[in-house]
Amino acid sequence: MTARLADIAAQAGVSEATVSRVLNGKPGVAASTRQSVLAALDVLGYERPVRLRQRSAGLVGLITPELDNPIFPAFAQVIGQALTRQGYTPVLATQTPGGSTEDELTEMLVDRGVAGIIFVSGLHADTSADMQRYERLRAQGVPFVLINGFSDKVRAPFVSPDDRAAVHLAVTHLAALGHRRIGLALGPERYVPVQRKIEGFLAAMRERLGLDGAGARELVQHSLFSLEGGQAAAAALLERGCTAVVCASDMMALGAVRAARQRGLEVPRDVSVVGFDDSPLIAFTDPPLTTIRQPVQAMGQAAVGALLEEVGGTPAPHSEFVFLPELVVRGSTAACPAEAPGTDRGGAATLTGAVPGQGRTDARTGARTVGANGAESGEDQTWG
């Protein structure tokens, strides 16, 4: 018990005596201090004493398109923890091929009396989808928040990463390494995040490499958001002479690595690959993947905050909260090979793939993080 009290006290920033008073339900502890101790219990994974457990304030639904892509379980974990700390019970509903649709899952959650719903990468991101489904949901009095995607036809809070800045970061990094034929592999163009990534790509190729119009457009390849989709898209881009490929997800990036190896090419010696998401365990692939980190923690907490404000009676504005991404440089990017046609080593960065003078390096993994503005962003990250 002594070791446990010490851990909780250190996490909450209070004395062990204070922790003891809270756990034993004794008076004389400020409400804010009591809450800090209870939060420390949750963070450290200790079970609250029965008398201190907060009664559930209700159910909140979370709808994701799948769980195969590790970025969706990551969102589910962050959102679930944030809801639990506020006394709500998260209900995860996942679409499966041939299974329940988003509309069916929404109806199921509404029938169960959820206090609100958070949609991650749902139909709101599809410009071809009927957005009236969300207006019907609002008419039922159910608050909701939408992550990854935006529509001016839906009156709700949206939470998104800055997709344009993300791809701009990736292209800037690769151009600094001497790459001139940089390809972009992504999903179907009808999705809002895809459209924004293309806009960022075209702008970066124009600014960094002077490539405009059709010349840059031919380096954009659409496919599926999967390992196989990334493999197919990267194969097409390699046929067009690309020495680097920026992918719209880490899963697609792993497919790009496979496509390069099937052609007898090595990553990053012959081809550089950049992913998107910084999914869990992606730092341990072969090679460790350079990727754009989607700020899942901040986005998930913002989504929960916006939802619970409306649940509490504060009308949610029709607005979009946009979060800046970070470039995490690992082992899948390097200087452009000298023999690549139309390329040279001028302006190339070091062989670690770091943009000169930017970012910070993790002492144990060599990974570097670079903010969207080219400056250091956030604390050093550790992997492993």
Side-chain angles (χ1 to χ4, degrees):
M1 175 60 76
T2 301
R4 190 172 99 167
L5 286 177
D7 292 341
I8 299 170
Q11 177 70 31
V14 299
S15 68
E16 292 183 33
T18 299
V19 173
S20 179
R21 294 184 71 85
V22 172
L23 296 181
N24 290 301
K26 294 183 178 180
V29 180
S32 59
T33 302
R34 187 180 301 275
Q35 188 57 43
S36 296
V37 172
L38 295 178
L41 282 171
D42 297 337
V43 170
L44 294 174
Y46 292 128
E47 188 173 344
R48 294 187 183 190
V50 175
R51 62 180 173 276
L52 297 179
R53 292 177 192 171
Q54 189 174 15
R55 291 187 60 193
S56 174
L59 305 176
V60 171
L62 171 62
I63 299 180
T64 65
E66 57 165 304
L67 291 179
D68 291 338
N69 187 331
I71 194 62
F72 296 124
F75 267 114
Q77 182 176 14
V78 168
I79 292 170
Q81 289 176 343
L83 287 169
T84 300
R85 292 192 190 104
Q86 297 298 322
Y88 288 84
T89 301
V91 180
L92 178 60
T94 304
Q95 301 174 62
T96 55
S100 299
T101 64
E102 179 181 310
D103 290 339
E104 291 169 341
L105 293 175
T106 300
E107 183 179 358
M108 178 269 292
L109 291 171
V110 172
D111 288 344
R112 280 159 177 75
V114 293
I117 301 176
I118 297 175
F119 296 86
V120 180
S121 299
L123 290 172
H124 62 277
D126 188 343
T127 58
S128 67
D130 181 6
M131 296 300 157
Q132 286 301 310
R133 54 175 41 90
Y134 298 109
E135 287 305 303
R136 290 192 292 269
L137 180 60
R138 179 165 295 283
Q140 292 177 280
V142 180
F144 58 91
V145 174
L146 306 144
I147 297 179
N148 278 338
F150 178 79
S151 173
D152 56 10
K153 300 176 183 177
V154 181
R155 294 179 293 119
F158 290 82
V159 177
S160 306
D162 191 331
D163 292 291
R164 299 181 185 90
V167 177
H168 202 287
L169 269 174
V171 171
T172 298
H173 168 61
L174 293 168
L177 292 171
H179 294 275
R180 296 296 176 264
R181 297 285 292 179
I182 301 171
L184 178 64
L186 27 67
E189 192 167 3
R190 68 180 186 272
Y191 293 108
V192 172
V194 170
Q195 296 172 1
R196 291 176 169 181
K197 286 181 175 70
I198 293 174
E199 292 170 6
F201 178 76
L202 297 178
M205 294 293 281
R206 180 175 61 252
E207 294 171 17
R208 301 299 178 182
L209 300 176
L211 191 60
D212 210 345
R217 268 280 177 182
E218 73 167 358
L219 301 179
V220 175
Q221 182 65 41
H222 296 280
S223 186
L224 300 176
F225 282 113
S226 64
L227 189 149
E228 293 77 14
Q231 181 178 350
L237 292 169
L238 293 175
E239 287 289 341
R240 297 171 201 163
C242 290
T243 61
V245 179
V246 179
C247 299
S249 75
D250 290 337
M251 296 294 285
M252 293 189 77
L254 295 180
V257 172
R258 178 190 286 180
R261 288 174 174 167
Q262 285 187 337
R263 296 171 62 89
L265 303 174
E266 291 187 20
V267 177
R269 187 193 69 184
D270 304 308
V271 178
S272 288
V273 176
V274 178
F276 185 91
D277 286 334
D278 196 27
S279 309
L281 301 181
I282 208 67
F284 302 103
T285 57
D286 180 24
L289 188 65
T290 293
T291 188
I292 300 295
R293 175 177 295 148
Q294 190 170 180
V296 172
Q297 187 79 27
M299 290 172 62
Q301 291 177 348
V304 170
L307 181 71
L308 296 188
E309 277 195 16
E310 187 165 0
V311 170
T314 303
H318 178 207
S319 59
E320 184 176 26
F321 302 93
V322 180
F323 291 78
L324 291 178
E326 290 179 315
L327 172 68
V328 184
V329 182
R330 298 192 181 102
S332 66
T333 52
C336 180
E339 65 273 15
T343 65
D344 57 62
R345 290 183 180 268
T350 62
L351 290 178
T352 61
V355 179
Q358 294 183 352
R360 57 174 68 203
T361 305
D362 184 272
R364 291 193 289 168
T365 65
R368 293 171 58 86
T369 59
V370 182
N373 59 359
E376 295 181 3
S377 177
E379 296 296 324
D380 284 6
Q381 304 297 312
T382 57
W383 296 268

